[in-house]
């Protein structure tokens, strides 16, 4: 492997090891110091562009200077998802095992788009999807052994588009292509916008996307009754119900749709049912949460994101389907150069390019394998329960303070709360809460985002960053009280 | 950052550094030994599944045993894209800088889906797209300063779907949604199947995808004349020309479509022109290849994959568009929780979620930044030219051997060749070449794939793996001669 022109041998093992070790030290230092940065970046648009030259450098530079610049100019301008004081959106939680998995993925740098393109990378992925599905107590029909199967995507939206395309093409095989104009997709006002975006991308007319309202009465879950009502109205207009989304742990308030009941509605009307457990899917490895997925045997597909709350660095989304053939018939197009000449016989192998949008794909399976082996099911359950316990503490603390209220039932590690309406009208309360959230985030000591539910502006405390400890949650609560006191004082 | 319950603190900086260093050594060893494995895996379906337990382990394990298992059971069953003897598909070339970039991306683990979600991660991406575009000599209209802009996707297919959706919605804004049934997409028989797959995904009727034949007369490039002809026929049938794909460096034979001429046709008929330079885009940083992109000012979008031939570990695809508004109007859907409360004023910032399919995204920009700074434009040009020189040598060697022939003109680092037809008919020649390719790959000493052009079975030698040296190309040539001699001997 020695090279006579070393300047060009950019994978020289010694250089590789030396420069990579410098990055490890850089990142270990970042984890040590991450809570010293304001959690939400205060960087202004243009501030980095002004510092950088207009064009790429002509000559290469040593790695040390590059890391120094990263530390000085880029890090302070990031929003720190790995800060223990990050409570925004949903977590993107890193871990040593997740990082080790990413290193193996990036270092081996194989592209398992077909079986032949890297056989055991494909096989490891199949096994990992079975492992994950079993941990979450999914029905057998989603395992390879049960006639189904799974695949690792980069994001829920990608997974959703693939299932929408499969559902669409299953429906169009009975209609003609004009039928696309009649297909209708159903979601709740709490479903992720990914479904609306995905439906648009696959060519469903935007006017055929139904956003069904939820309410406090059903804890912001989608009721079977409301779906039936919407479907019947569409049928009466000559439309064709296509696809229904059920969410376990909605983005806004962590609500749970009744999977089994929605599954019955979907069956009755011949709709594809997708269960989106992007966030809360991780919690389903704990028996105490598995009731939420009951009825999934009536679903056509299920997805969850290990890159949210499962100690798996980005990106990683598990998608399971009951009928791989429906997926691959929508997504399979063959090229001559992908026909492996040594496989003239039809062997029953998985070509993952036909289970996803892209041809190119990373070896994400090895990352999930490292995470599952390094921490084990028991360690991962403890990780989930630790965050849930912190959220319970925060929920109780909010309930115990008369100035605050919990707005939606807490299911997992997300608490939705606000300053309570007192004499002020609801509109004034929204303004106060907006002010509170701004003050909290501007302090740099925590970062949260809001949602709107029942027309109320609500603050979300999403616990899930890897390094978050009880003391960080306690600090966040005291920070909220401190800012609330200031805002409420006359 | 100290944790009283260390078993749960999975980002402890010392553990992180120790375990990550073990992986660095593991990967450095892999690079040292990668040429000892058969390049194409010989693993049989089921061979890994039989070794693995049915379910994830209950308890965690130390990282050493995990790496040992990876080395013993997984590595030998991969197809080694990083082998210096890998000449299949197109390269997925790793480098130390690309790996360092992936480490920073995975370790910082931020998700810059909106400006607020990680400001300087977004800004670095904007600047990197400008840097890359300038290196490739793209027209100003694709730079942020010129009113356009770029984004990093994971794959060309994702980029293509976004541009197809933008083109479709631009067209449908003038028609009604029924118009989707009339839209037509044009590509050549050498275009990547991504376009066909993408068109199906966005809801274009499969019967409205035109595959226009190319021939040796135009070196397998798409002629303006043939496109005009196809478009006129569709117009006469009442259809609406939507989208035309021009490729710089096709997958099969590395052909180049005449970008400027196709641009004029696209303009005349109001079609979106996308330039796919997935592979050869890397070569466009060398002035001697920049003629191939002339006329790109008539294009609506351009894409190229640094993860192929630009020393950038997977995944990374650059997409530039002349009109970001057309892209975002097709892909933007807002959620309340993504509305940053501190940005009540409209600030002119980029929210990359509206430039791509997914919400989730990785900090790929830092990877491209490290690659560009570590090697510099000069180093990257030398890297490209080194591979091109090797391909020239191989091309000459093939031409000098009367038993072999070069089938399509070599433009970059891909050589398409075959055993030459002599007394046998073309069909028999295909069988001989198939046998030759099988013999070469079965030796484990090199891995190539075939394509079919002009109904001929052709072997592709795609040079581009990072560690490939002249001696590997020479060895590959001698391996081919050795196997050819055996096959041709009576």
């Amino acid at each position: 492997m020695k090279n006579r022109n070393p300047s060009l041998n950019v994978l020289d093992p010694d250089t590789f090891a030396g420069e990579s070790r410098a990055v490890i030290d850089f990142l270990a230092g970042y984890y040590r110091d991450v809570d010293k940065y304001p959690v939400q970046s205060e960087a202004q648009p243009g501030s980095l562009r002004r510092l950088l030259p207009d064009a790429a450098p002509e000559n290469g530079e040593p790695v040390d200077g590059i890391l120094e610049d990263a530390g000085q100019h880029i890090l302070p301008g990031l929003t720190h998802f790995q800060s223990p004081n990050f409570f925004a959106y949903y977590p993107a939680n890193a871990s040593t095992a997740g990082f080790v998995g990413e290193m193996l993925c990036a270092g081996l740098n194989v592209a398992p788009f077909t079986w032949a393109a890297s056989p055991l990378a494909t096989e490891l992925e199949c096994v990992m999807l079975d492992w994950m599905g079993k941990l979450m107590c999914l029905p057998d029909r989603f395992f390879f052994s049960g006639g189904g199967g799974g695949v690792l995507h980069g994001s829920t939206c990608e997974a959703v588009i693939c299932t929408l395309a499969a559902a669409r093409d299953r429906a169009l095989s009975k209609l003609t292509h004009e039928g696309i104009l009649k297909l209708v997709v159903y979601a709740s006002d709490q479903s992720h916008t990914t479904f609306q975006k995905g439906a648009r991308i696959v060519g469903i007319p935007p006017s055929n996307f139904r956003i069904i309202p939820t309410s406090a009465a059903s804890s912001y879950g989608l009721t079977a009754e409301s779906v039936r009502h919407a479907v019947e109205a569409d049928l009466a207009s000559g439309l064709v119900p296509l696809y229904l989304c059920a969410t376990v742990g909605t983005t806004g308030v962590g609500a749970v749709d009744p999977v089994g009941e929605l599954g019955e509605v979907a069956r009755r009307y011949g709709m594809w049912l997708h269960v989106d457990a992007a966030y809360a899917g991780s919690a389903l490895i704990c028996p105490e949460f598995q009731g939420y997925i009951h009825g999934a045997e009536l679903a056509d597909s299920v997805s969850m994101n290990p890159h949210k709350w499962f100690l798996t660095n980005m990106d990683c989304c598990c998608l399971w389907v009951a009928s791989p053939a429906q997926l691959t018939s929508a997504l399979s197009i063959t090229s001559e150069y992908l026909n492996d000449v040594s496989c003239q016989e039809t062997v029953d192998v998985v070509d993952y390019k036909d289970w996803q949008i892209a041809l190119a794909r990373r070896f994400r399976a090895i990352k999930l394998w490292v995470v599952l082996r390094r921490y084990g099911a028991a360690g991962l359950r403890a990780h989930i329960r630790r965050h849930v316990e912190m959220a319970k503490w925060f929920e109780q603390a909010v309930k115990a303070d008369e100035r605050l209220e919990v707005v939606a039932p807490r299911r997992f590690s997300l608490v939705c709360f606000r300053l309570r309406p007192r004499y002020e009208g609801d509109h004034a309360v929204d303004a106060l809460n907006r002010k509170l959230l701004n003050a909290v985030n501007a302090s740099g000591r925590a970062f949260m985002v809001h949602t709107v539910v029942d027309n109320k502006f609500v603050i979300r405390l999403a616990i899930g960053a890897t390094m978050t400890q009880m003391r960080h949650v306690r600090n966040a609560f005291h920070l909220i009280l401190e800012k609330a006191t200031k805002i409420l004082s006359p």
Side-chain angles (χ1 to χ4, degrees), chain A residues 1-316:
Chain A
M1 214 63 45
K2 270 265 175 337
N3 184 356
R4 281 181 209 100
N5 187 346
S7 72
L8 291 177
N9 193 344
V10 294
L11 261 186
D12 169 72
D14 296 327
T15 317
F16 170 84
E19 299 193 357
S20 299
R21 278 193 204 108
V23 183
I24 298 301
D25 295 339
F26 177 87
L27 286 170
Y30 175 68
Y31 296 142
R32 271 188 202 101
D33 293 338
V34 66
D35 61 355
K36 302 199 176 86
Y37 295 105
V39 189
Q40 187 183 24
S41 167
E42 293 161 356
Q44 290 306 304
S47 58
L48 182 63
R49 194 180 269 275
R50 273 192 293 277
L51 292 175
L52 295 178
D54 267 355
E58 184 60 21
N59 296 303
E61 302 165 48
V63 81
D64 317 32
I66 299 174
L67 289 177
E68 206 178 300
D69 280 357
Q72 202 168 341
H73 301 304
I74 298 177
L75 260 51
L78 300 178
T79 292
H80 300 278
F81 282 67
Q82 300 318 312
S83 166
N85 302 310
F86 181 92
F87 302 106
Y89 316 117
Y90 273 130
N93 61 180
S95 73
T96 297
F99 182 77
V100 161
E102 272 291 305
M103 276 199 290
L104 291 172
C105 171
L108 300 172
N109 212 38
V110 299
F113 40 75
T114 57
W115 169 262
S118 220
L120 293 197
T122 292
E123 190 152 305
L124 187 65
E125 188 162 332
C126 298
V127 177
M128 286 310 99
L129 269 295
D130 279 2
W131 280 17
M132 274 302 293
K134 284 176 191 171
L135 273 184
M136 290 166 61
C137 224
L138 293 188
D140 282 353
R141 68 196 300 248
F142 294 110
F143 305 145
F144 283 94
S145 54
V151 58
L152 293 178
H153 286 180
S155 65
T156 299
C157 195
E158 193 187 338
V160 162
I161 285 177
C162 291
T163 57
L164 278 165
R168 179 198 66 192
D169 288 1
R170 179 176 76 174
L172 293 184
S173 71
K174 291 170 214 151
L175 312 163
T176 59
H177 201 85
E178 288 87 66
I180 198 172
L181 303 172
K182 296 190 174 173
L183 303 177
V184 186
V185 175
Y186 303 84
S188 90
D189 57 4
Q190 298 299 313
S191 303
H192 199 277
T193 48
T194 279
F195 289 91
Q196 194 171 359
K197 182 167 176 172
R200 269 181 68 178
I201 287 177
V202 304
I204 308 289
S207 55
N208 289 8
F209 187 83
R210 302 279 168 268
I211 300 177
I212 303 172
T214 61
S215 71
S218 62
S219 301
Y220 306 105
L222 185 57
T223 64
E225 185 50 35
S226 62
V227 176
R228 247 192 312 269
H229 193 260
V231 168
E232 288 289 351
D234 285 324
L235 285 172
S237 318
L239 297 175
V240 179
L242 177 72
Y243 187 103
L244 171 62
C245 149
T247 307
V248 177
T250 61
T251 307
V253 298
V256 175
D257 295 333
V259 173
E261 291 170 33
L262 295 180
E264 279 162 24
V265 178
R267 279 282 164 99
R268 177 160 158 206
Y269 296 103
M271 289 189 284
W272 183 292
L273 177 71
H274 180 78
V275 179
D276 170 17
Y279 156 64
S282 296
L284 297 178
I285 65 169
C286 302
E288 64 269 33
F289 294 116
Q290 287 170 353
Y292 289 134
I293 196 83
H294 280 176
E297 59 278 3
L298 295 173
D300 295 278
S301 49
V302 180
S303 63
M304 67 81 75
N305 290 353
H307 71 206
K308 279 196 169 63
W309 194 21
F310 205 70
L311 297 177
T312 305
N313 299 44
M314 285 190 292
D315 50 1
C316 194

Side-chain angles (χ1 to χ4, degrees), chain A residues 467-486:
Chain A
M467 291 192 271
T468 301
Q469 308 282 341
M470 217 18 249
R471 69 186 163 92
H472 300 108
V473 178
R474 238 181 266 122
N475 288 347
F477 184 68
H478 294 308
L479 173 63
I480 290 160
L481 293 190
E482 174 196 321
K483 300 299 178 189
T485 304
K486 205 170 283 177

